[in-house]
């Protein structure tokens, strides 16, 4: 089990001015921030990031939403980071997310769901490299 994961504060949460509250929930849950930036994904970059979903019916909508404004990718460290972070963010659909999770608090819908979290150690490495390639994350 790895100790790194990639979070993204998505454009809906950035637009609603929830960056600070979401970062506070992340650090209060014991995650260490190893890298953080604000960026606007190009269509090409968003398509690559979500390549695993390219056959899904919502792929086009997902890419459009993720390129609709700034987002905040954050490289995080904690023991068992992938599973721990997925617990903190809650279910993809905020209607199914448990009380106290980030999505329960800040997500509007399945598509505009405030945060992303890597789903495996392998994808965490790929996703961290997507945003922080060439940087040494100490
Ligand atoms: P995320 O954790 O970023 O990974 C894939 C994303 O696809 C997911 O969060 C949702 O934002 C999005 N997604 C999943 N299911 C649907 C759906 N049925 N309709 C629209 N978007 C979806």
């Amino acid at each position: 089990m790895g100790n790194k994961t990639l979070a993204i504060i998505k454009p809906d949460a950035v637009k609603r001015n929830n960056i600070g509250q979401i970062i506070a929930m992340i650090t209060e849950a014991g995650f260490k921030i190893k890298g953080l930036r604000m960026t606007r994904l190009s269509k090409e970059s968003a398509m690559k990031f979500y390549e695993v979903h390219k056959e899904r019916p919502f792929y086009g909508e997902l890419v459009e939403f993720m390129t609709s404004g700034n987002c905040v990718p954050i490289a995080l460290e904690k023991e068992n980071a992938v599973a721990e972070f997925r617990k903190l963010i809650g279910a993809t659909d905020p209607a199914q997310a448990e009380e106290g999770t980030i999505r329960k608090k800040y997500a509007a819908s399945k598509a505009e769901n405030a945060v992303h979290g890597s789903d495996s150690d392998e994808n965490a490495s790929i996703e961290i490299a997507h945003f922080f390639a060439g940087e040494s994350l100490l």
Side-chain angles (χ1 to χ4, degrees), residues 91-110:
T92 305
D93 181 351
Q96 316 277 323
E98 282 184 39
E99 281 304 330
T101 61
I102 295 175
R103 283 173 172 159
K104 180 72 182 183
K105 257 187 135 158
Y106 296 111
S109 67
K110 230 192 251 183

Side-chain angles (χ1 to χ4, degrees), residues 26-100:
I26 293 171
T27 52
E28 275 158 21
F31 289 88
K32 277 199 133 169
I33 294 176
K34 305 298 282 186
L36 181 151
R37 54 195 280 246
M38 180 181 266
T39 185
R40 184 161 183 174
L41 282 168
S42 66
K43 187 172 179 192
E44 189 185 38
S45 181
M47 286 174 77
K48 174 124 191 68
F49 185 84
Y50 280 116
E51 205 167 21
V52 290
H53 295 303
K54 68 171 185 276
E55 305 301 338
R56 305 281 197 97
F58 56 81
Y59 181 62
E61 184 192 340
L62 176 61
V63 168
E64 196 168 315
F65 164 59
M66 289 302 290
T67 57
S68 67
N70 286 334
C71 68
V72 180
I74 312 172
L76 294 171
E77 188 177 271
K78 190 186 183 186
E79 202 174 308
N80 198 16
V82 166
E84 288 290 303
F85 191 66
R86 290 177 76 79
K87 219 192 294 171
L88 176 66
I89 64 181
T92 305
D93 181 351
Q96 316 277 323
E98 282 184 39
E99 281 304 330

Side-chain angles (χ1 to χ4, degrees), residues 6-8 37 39 41 45 49 66 71-74 116 126-133 135:
L6 182 87
I8 305 176
R37 54 195 280 246
T39 185
L41 282 168
S45 181
F49 185 84
M66 289 302 290
C71 68
V72 180
I74 312 172
H116 167 82
I126 294 168
E127 291 178 3
I128 289 169
H130 187 97
F131 289 104
F132 299 101
E135 291 177 38

